[in-house]
Amino acid sequence: MADLATRPPLLHLARSRLRLRPGQTGVVIAGLVLLVAVVGSLLAPLVWPLDQSAVALDQTRLAPSWTHLAGTDDLGRDVAHRAVYGLRVSLLVGAVAALVATVLGGVVGGIAGMLGGRVDRLLMRMVDTIAAMPHLLLGIFIVAMLRPSLGAVIASVGLTHWLSTARIVRSELLSLRTRPFVDAAISGGAGRFRVLTRHLLPHVLPRLALATTLMIPHAVWHETALSFLGLGLPPHLASLGNMINDGQGSLLTGAWWASLAPGAVIVVVTLAIAVLAARWRDRLDPRVRAELHL
Amino acid sequence: MTSPEHLLADEVTVGYGRQVVLDGVTVRVGRDETVGLRGPSGCGKSTLVRVLALLHRPDHGQVSIDGTPVHGVRYAVPVDLRTRVAVLFQSPRAAADPRLSLDDLIAEPLRAVRTPEATVRERVAELADLVGLTADLRGRRPHAVSDGQLQRACLARALVHRPDYLLCDEATAMLDASTQAHVAAVIRDYQRTQRAGVLVITHDQTLLDHWSDRIVDLAGAARART
């Protein structure tokens, strides 16, 4: 009880309410960052509307100041303001693309894992073949076939990132299928559908949800990369990749801040998601769980 | 003449790859008898149980229940035929879905065949009582109970459909002496009251002698092994 008295009461309260232990501060910070990022990008159009096509040629390349927190770019646009809208796009693309990839990977991996045999071999060779191609290149092909738009970017990221999910789901199902509790269920009269929904999916779903979460930062980077290459959203729309790309030119004239804010936003937000997902993964792993006393 | 009342593995051959595990084995478990199965490790006792439980397809040979030959295995076997043979596995940990409470574990086979919930609850309570699971234990998940308690729940699950044949694959090997005795007593009572056929595999010679009406040596049950 001694340390109870010496601890600052507010910190103690926060820790006990959140069931926090020392060392979990990173998780809390990551959670707050993500909360601010999500709430901020959701509320942005209401509290801080942006005219995407507006330029102010009398205010180009202003250094960061109190009026322009992250400076202005070479068209006089406020970098901080546009970064908020860029984050909106990135989070949307990241989340939707990760979801598309999960559903696709879940279905393919599910079919392969449940049916096994020839179907499994065929599907998995297909996965191997697609995986053999560089996925950024594949993504570029997909965007090039469609018109540059939000949908095209989502399709490009979603269609190139389902492979690992398919492999995870397949291998989980293959190993679960042979477990004695599945034998016991069959012997007890359960049909294929019952075994799948009652005994297999509930074991796979947490891993699948985790894989999706881990994929969001990756999908965000991918969107940024496509935009940076000029294959993402139309150039006048704020996206983190577009902004970093635009900022490149300003960099040579000494306006280093034009790329800094969008770059920093991407690093901080994806790091926050990754930290939370890693924590979640640890909770799922019984061995790590025992070590952490969860 | 009525059809024979036995679970029969007739001239069953099973191999994994090139390794032949069972070679033309014939084993018969009659209603109202307890058959002990003996044999050295790796001689295919567990494989034979999986074949008899309609979970593994033999390369040759046939399994029949009361004279009715069974075609196919696992999901392909009609549910009313499948549920007449129950298995009690060696490791209750592996045989219990870690997500289900003991109550749900016992109830699962009933729910799988769409039994009304009131009947399910009644039957689960009755069986939990039979195998000696207290109300406190029934709500727990497998990780929160001991091997012995979990095996009791697995036994209750195996009996939930009132099977005609019960196959025990070293079901008491991992249990302490008193649990072992209790599980054996429950199985024996069930066998007598239901006129069930029971196949027991165990390395415990004393248990085998006490428990079974006759003992089959798997090495001797093979066709061409001299």
Side-chain angles (χ1 to χ4, degrees), chain A residues 180-200:
Chain A
F181 69 74
V182 172
D183 283 342
I186 295 171
S187 175
R192 255 196 195 90
F193 185 73
R194 175 94 187 166
V195 168
L196 180 68
T197 54
R198 184 85 169 147
H199 299 292
L200 300 181

Side-chain angles (χ1 to χ4, degrees), chain A residues 79-103:
Chain A
V79 173
H81 198 179
R82 286 176 68 81
V84 173
Y85 281 79
L87 180 63
R88 253 170 86 81
V89 173
S90 292
L91 284 181
L92 179 71
V93 170
V96 177
L99 209 63
V100 169
T102 305
V103 170

Side-chain angles (χ1 to χ4, degrees), chain B residues 132-179:
Chain B
L133 285 177
T134 57
D136 157 56
L137 288 172
R138 287 170 48 191
R140 295 202 206 163
R141 302 240 193 123
H143 67 83
V145 301
S146 71
D147 277 358
Q149 289 158 344
L150 195 53
Q151 189 65 308
R152 286 167 194 259
C154 287
L155 174 60
R157 174 180 62 182
L159 299 181
V160 81
H161 280 308
R162 296 194 179 83
D164 293 333
Y165 300 98
L166 179 63
L167 316 172
C168 306
D169 185 1
E170 307 223 26
T172 56
M174 291 172 82
L175 310 180
D176 64 84
S178 72
T179 312

Side-chain angles (χ1 to χ4, degrees), chain A residues 157-170:
Chain A
V157 179
L159 291 177
T160 50
H161 286 75
W162 57 275
L163 304 165
S164 57
T165 312
R167 284 188 177 138
I168 292 171
V169 171
R170 168 192 176 261

Side-chain angles (χ1 to χ4, degrees), chain B residues 82-181:
Chain B
R82 230 193 283 167
T83 52
R84 290 184 60 193
V85 183
V87 198
L88 192 54
F89 292 97
Q90 174 173 12
S91 161
R93 291 276 157 229
D97 188 334
R99 288 183 47 265
L100 303 183
S101 70
L102 299 197
D103 256 351
D104 288 335
L105 185 80
I106 302 170
E108 187 53 29
L110 291 174
R111 293 193 177 128
V113 297
R114 299 177 195 284
T115 313
E117 200 51 36
T119 320
V120 171
R121 269 196 287 273
E122 197 179 311
R123 182 92 178 110
V124 168
E126 179 190 324
L127 280 162
D129 203 35
L130 180 76
V131 298
L133 285 177
T134 57
D136 157 56
L137 288 172
R138 287 170 48 191
R140 295 202 206 163
R141 302 240 193 123
H143 67 83
V145 301
S146 71
D147 277 358
Q149 289 158 344
L150 195 53
Q151 189 65 308
R152 286 167 194 259
C154 287
L155 174 60
R157 174 180 62 182
L159 299 181
V160 81
H161 280 308
R162 296 194 179 83
D164 293 333
Y165 300 98
L166 179 63
L167 316 172
C168 306
D169 185 1
E170 307 223 26
T172 56
M174 291 172 82
L175 310 180
D176 64 84
S178 72
T179 312
Q180 195 174 35

Side-chain angles (χ1 to χ4, degrees), chain A residues 24 30 45 78 90 95 144 151 158-161 183 210 218 223 225 267:
Chain A
Q24 289 189 329
D78 186 82
S90 292
L159 291 177
T160 50
H161 286 75
D183 283 342
L210 175 65
H218 195 97
E223 181 273 329
V267 169

